[in-house]
Amino acid sequence: MASVQIRNAVKVFGSTEVLHGIDIDIPDQSFTVLVGPSGCGKSTLLRMIAGLEEITSGEISIGDEVVNRMPPKQRDIAMVFQNYALYPHMTVFDNMGFSLKLAKVDPATIKEKVNAAAAILNLEDFLQRYPRQLSGGQRQRVAMGRAIVRDPRVFLFDEPLSNLDAKLRVQMRTEIRELHQRLNSTSIYVTHDQIEAMTMADQIVVMRDGNIEQTGAPLDLYDDPGNRFVATFIGSPAMNMMGGTVTNEGDITYFRSDHGTRFALQNGSADITNGAALCGIRPEHFTLADTGAENSLTMDVAVVEPTGAEILVIGRNGEQEFQAVFRERHSFSPGQQITLQPRLDKVLLFDEKSGQRIR
Amino acid sequence: MAAVIDSADRLPLLTRFMNNRNLMGLFFMLPAAAILLVFLTYPLGLGVWLGMTDVKVGRPGVFVGMENFTWLWEDSVFRLSIFNTFLYTVVASVIKFALGLWLAIILNNNIPIKAFIRAIVLLPFIVPTVLSALAFWWIYDSQDSVISWTLIELGFIDQTIDFLGEPNNARGAVIAANIWRGIPFVAITLLAGLQTIPQSLYEAAIIDGATEWQRFRRITLPLLTPIIAVVMTFSVLFTFTDFQLIWVMTRGGPINATHLMATLSYQRGIVGGALGEGAAIAVAMIPFLLAAILFSYFGLQNRKWQRGGRDD
């Protein structure tokens, strides 16, 4: 087990800089998720930690030891690949024991370790099969088994669930999380799926275009996003954003949307007045209100999507599209006009140009 | 049952024929079967038949059974040609495989002007065999050989080498020419095989701690065996039945040192006019070729890990 520190890491491919000075602290035994849209550099960063890509400048250390120039096999890490990268010509047993065999561990110990890992992952019955004969979920488990057998200082996961179907993905998510709680190994997990990030991480690092947008615990990022990108990237359905201005009227600061809606602001608005701003409201922070109520907006219902546990309503106020989620079973129909009141203590403001949060 | 047959009987003959999947299947196979019969089965059968006759040019001949074969078995030139053919095939195939694999691995790396180099590699394969044989004939000339000239200029030797005039020299020379001509086929096909091996397997192996040699030995080679089996089967077949290179360069000489079974068959059958005997030599090649195919099919091609399950 070890902590991982990344200091000002830069990666340049040819003449393109893809990572612009990344700083991350990954505590020992934590589960850290790097999340961001495709092309944000998260996989490159993971491969740099693994030693599969060189570090152009900056420093990566594992357990207080700088590993920039260290070849992958000496870094004592294990990696689970997106396509599993199982050796097709080896049985499950040989796949899992390959690293030990290369390290010239004696066969009895290999057998013991592989069997122990297989027991953890429910793979005992498949040890003599070839990868071709396994289902997607089983292959995924073998890939993890290969990592567990080595008992590495750090586990690296590169989008390991993206080749699985939706149901299996949810199941494997739980399994990986359970496994982490059991083994308590430092894990770094790359995904583009914010739900995976939210459900699995101790710490989320949100990345975009080779920069870190925000680092923090899942719920902190959800409740207290530092900028517009994080606010809309984390959470599904996404946070509603509307343009408008902040005005002071008497003692009360208001947000006036471009479509004439007006909310009284409760927090973080003292610094700016009479300025353009973006107002962010999560879909679940709306409640139904009577027509003409204070601090409300009207919405023309366009689509109603009941999921059983909740109802998602998508509609418009003028040009602006809104989504609202209700746990209660309202019956809406398309074309209907409803009045929504946001929970004023949950309304967030962002700078219109920089997208930074206004607190 | 009877009722069904009755109602089928009432349909027009053509309609019944069109509705019968088995008959239609046979019908569709006819063109291919005809081509195979005319161009493959008939010549092969004729060859086997001729091998058992004493047909000569201008004389119809009669069936003599296995007489040609028993006679050939006593013939020292025929025995020498078997030895030559094996020597030629084994040495050339082993070297073609080794160099071809090496070349494929080099070409699989990211090297500058890769496409251009790959095109160059194919050159020996594109040039008509007779032309390259003539070029080699010239290279191996006993007086004006470019190799002899270079070695003399460099001071390694002081008189020209008689490449094609001395038996063992001639054997080495034709084998070298065959290797030169055969490498592109092996290299390009193995390169295609190498490119089907996902990069992530190598990355996984690097992280598992495999050295470059171990990655080759434990990932590349086993994953390449199916394609190696196919390539080497073809390579062995082509080499075993080689005719053009030898015929242009040495005509089997000196003192039959480079006579392969194919060239001997041609010399006895066409040049010498003993059609029956020539055919018998050609037929004698069949068991060896069959053995090579069976070996590759059962020994190398069909791997357990390739069988069963899905490949997604």
Side-chain angles (χ1 to χ4, degrees):
Chain A
M1 300 304 114
S3 61
V4 176
Q5 284 87 35
I6 300 163
R7 293 275 167 271
N8 200 22
V10 173
K11 178 68 189 176
V12 178
F13 283 118
S15 57
T16 322
E17 190 174 292
V18 294
L19 290 177
H20 320 287
I22 299 288
D23 288 283
I24 308 176
D25 269 306
I26 294 161
D28 190 13
Q29 305 193 351
S30 76
F31 197 107
T32 297
V33 174
L34 310 179
V35 67
S38 46
C40 72
K42 55 192 190 297
S43 281
T44 306
L45 183 60
L46 192 78
R47 292 166 60 83
M48 284 158 71
I49 300 170
L52 295 172
E53 300 281 356
E54 275 182 32
I55 301 153
T56 309
S57 74
E59 216 174 79
I60 293 181
S61 34
I62 299 175
D64 300 325
E65 184 184 11
V66 177
V67 297
N68 283 28
R69 301 245 152 261
M70 197 185 274
K73 71 188 269 195
Q74 286 167 28
R75 294 191 187 195
D76 196 10
I77 41 107
M79 186 157 168
V80 177
F81 290 83
Q82 179 173 358
N83 62 1
Y84 321 134
L86 300 179
Y87 311 120
H89 56 297
M90 296 184 200
T91 59
V92 169
F93 183 92
D94 292 336
N95 262 286
M96 287 167 69
F98 188 55
S99 60
L100 300 178
K101 194 173 171 185
L102 292 176
K104 303 212 162 44
V105 175
D106 76 283
T109 316
I110 294 179
K111 198 164 183 203
E112 189 183 314
K113 288 197 171 187
V114 171
N115 284 337
I120 293 175
L121 294 161
N122 287 325
L123 284 171
E124 293 112 317
D125 297 340
F126 305 104
L127 285 175
Q128 292 316 314
R129 294 218 191 157
Y130 288 94
R132 266 185 90 127
Q133 301 161 326
L134 301 178
S135 69
Q138 288 163 345
R139 289 181 205 187
Q140 177 60 56
R141 279 202 209 104
V142 176
M144 289 199 293
R146 198 162 62 175
I148 293 172
V149 162
R150 302 187 47 197
D151 193 18
R153 290 193 292 176
V154 181
F155 278 94
L156 306 176
F157 297 89
D158 188 6
E159 307 216 18
L161 303 185
S162 50
N163 283 5
L164 300 177
D165 64 60
K167 198 174 171 187
L168 207 50
R169 205 177 303 161
V170 174
Q171 189 189 327
M172 291 307 294
R173 212 156 75 191
T174 319
E175 277 189 31
I176 294 180
R177 187 68 201 156
E178 263 184 346
L179 195 67
H180 176 253
Q181 283 161 3
R182 183 165 171 174
L183 302 174
N184 263 324
S185 43
T186 312
S187 303
I188 307 174
Y189 186 106
V190 161
T191 180
H192 61 266
D193 181 352
Q194 56 90 21
I195 301 229
E196 261 173 45
M198 289 295 286
T199 49
M200 300 175 79
D202 297 322
Q203 172 181 254
I204 295 182
V205 178
V206 182
M207 293 178 65
R208 181 172 64 148
D209 296 339
N211 288 307
I212 292 181
E213 293 285 332
Q214 195 175 355
T215 304
L219 291 181
D220 290 348
L221 294 192
Y222 190 82
D223 293 335
D224 197 10
N227 55 48
R228 182 188 175 179
F229 176 78
V230 175
T232 49
F233 188 77
I234 301 283
S236 172
M239 183 184 274
N240 297 294
M241 283 284 173
M242 56 183 146
T245 47
V246 175
T247 55
N248 262 338
E249 294 170 25
D251 300 340
I252 309 169
T253 312
Y254 286 102
F255 174 82
R256 264 181 200 285
S257 87
D258 298 338
H259 303 290
T261 313
R262 190 184 79 164
F263 309 128
L265 292 174
Q266 290 194 345
N267 43 2
S269 50
D271 296 347
I272 68 152
T273 50
N274 300 319
L278 287 169
C279 172
I281 305 165
R282 293 229 176 256
E284 68 272 26
H285 293 153
F286 283 116
T287 47
L288 272 184
D290 297 330
T291 316
E294 277 283 294
N295 300 319
S296 68
L297 59 88
T298 58
M299 179 168 94
D300 298 315
V301 176
V303 176
V304 183
E305 295 179 356
T307 59
E310 48 195 28
I311 302 172
L312 171 65
V313 188
I314 301 158
R316 282 178 199 88
N317 172 315
E319 297 287 287
Q320 179 85 40
E321 190 167 283
F322 282 98
Q323 302 185 67
V325 169
F326 301 99
R327 301 223 52 138
E328 312 84 44
R329 295 225 165 156
H330 300 294
S331 55
F332 301 114
S333 49
Q336 184 187 353
Q337 190 173 66
I338 56 177
T339 305
L340 299 174
Q341 220 166 20
R343 281 178 57 183
L344 296 177
D345 58 325
K346 300 285 190 186
V347 171
L348 306 175
L349 283 183
F350 301 91
D351 187 279
E352 196 180 31
K353 290 203 179 63
S354 69
Q356 289 303 307
R357 175 88 176 277
I358 302 166
R359 291 171 193 272
Chain B
M1 232 10 237
V4 174
I5 291 168
D6 279 351
S7 71
D9 271 342
R10 261 176 253 124
L11 289 166
L13 194 66
L14 186 65
T15 316
R16 271 190 334 198
F17 174 68
M18 301 277 270
N19 286 342
N20 188 321
R21 293 176 62 90
N22 291 336
L23 284 178
M24 279 309 272
L26 283 175
F27 180 70
F28 286 135
M29 275 192 280
L30 280 180
I35 290 173
L36 289 177
L37 273 173
V38 174
F39 294 106
L40 220 65
T41 315
Y42 171 70
L44 189 67
L46 187 64
V48 174
W49 166 251
L50 279 176
M52 291 191 273
T53 64
D54 61 353
V55 176
K56 286 201 167 63
V57 173
R59 195 185 81 179
V62 292
F63 180 79
V64 294
M66 304 304 283
E67 202 174 283
N68 281 331
F69 296 97
T70 44
W71 189 84
L72 280 171
W73 189 240
E74 304 294 326
D75 178 9
S76 63
V77 177
F78 176 70
R79 287 185 171 203
L80 181 65
S81 81
I82 295 181
F83 168 78
N84 288 339
T85 310
F86 268 83
L87 182 78
Y88 187 75
T89 307
V90 170
V91 174
S93 295
V94 167
I95 298 178
K96 272 190 275 193
F97 170 65
L99 292 181
L101 182 58
W102 186 50
L103 196 58
I105 288 169
I106 292 174
L107 290 177
N108 198 33
N109 290 329
N110 276 319
I111 45 173
I113 52 168
K114 187 157 62 179
F116 180 69
I117 295 176
R118 282 183 192 173
I120 293 276
V121 166
L122 271 177
L123 217 55
F125 196 53
I126 300 164
V127 178
T129 313
V130 175
L131 285 189
S132 42
L134 282 171
F136 269 103
W137 190 43
W138 188 43
I139 289 172
Y140 291 143
D141 190 279
S142 57
Q143 297 304 314
D144 303 320
S145 162
V146 64
I147 301 172
S148 296
W149 180 83
T150 312
L151 291 175
I152 289 171
E153 289 295 308
L154 289 172
F156 289 117
I157 52 173
D158 44 19
Q159 61 179 44
T160 56
I161 303 170
D162 190 6
F163 285 104
L164 300 177
E166 199 274 320
N168 283 334
N169 279 359
R171 284 183 177 137
V174 290
I175 287 174
N178 179 277
I179 290 168
W180 179 83
R181 181 163 162 71
I183 279 181
F185 171 70
V186 177
I188 294 294
T189 319
L190 291 184
L191 176 62
L194 283 177
Q195 285 173 342
T196 64
I197 303 177
Q199 194 58 34
S200 61
L201 288 188
Y202 292 111
E203 290 177 347
I206 289 174
I207 288 178
D208 274 343
T211 60
E212 202 160 331
W213 167 250
Q214 285 169 326
R215 294 201 292 277
F216 173 76
R217 168 75 189 74
R218 302 199 174 270
I219 310 288
T220 311
L221 215 50
L223 289 180
L224 218 50
T225 39
I227 219 144
I228 288 175
V230 175
V231 174
M232 289 323 291
T233 306
F234 275 96
S235 181
V236 165
L237 295 188
F238 292 152
T239 314
F240 198 92
T241 56
D242 198 9
F243 170 78
Q244 290 184 68
L245 269 179
I246 304 283
W247 195 252
V248 174
M249 286 168 67
T250 65
R251 307 236 154 176
I255 18 171
N256 300 322
T258 60
H259 245 319
L260 303 186
M261 292 168 84
T263 53
L264 189 69
S265 161
Y266 182 81
Q267 193 182 43
R268 296 259 169 100
I270 308 295
V271 181
L275 291 174
E277 196 187 323
I281 297 173
V283 169
M285 294 166 76
I286 296 175
F288 298 115
L289 297 174
L290 224 51
I293 294 172
L294 290 179
F295 173 75
S296 101
Y297 185 78
F298 288 109
L300 297 167
Q301 211 172 324
N302 203 357
R303 291 273 156 161
K304 201 172 161 200
W305 54 267
Q306 292 176 300
R307 275 185 247 143
R310 299 162 301 143
D311 202 13
D312 57 350

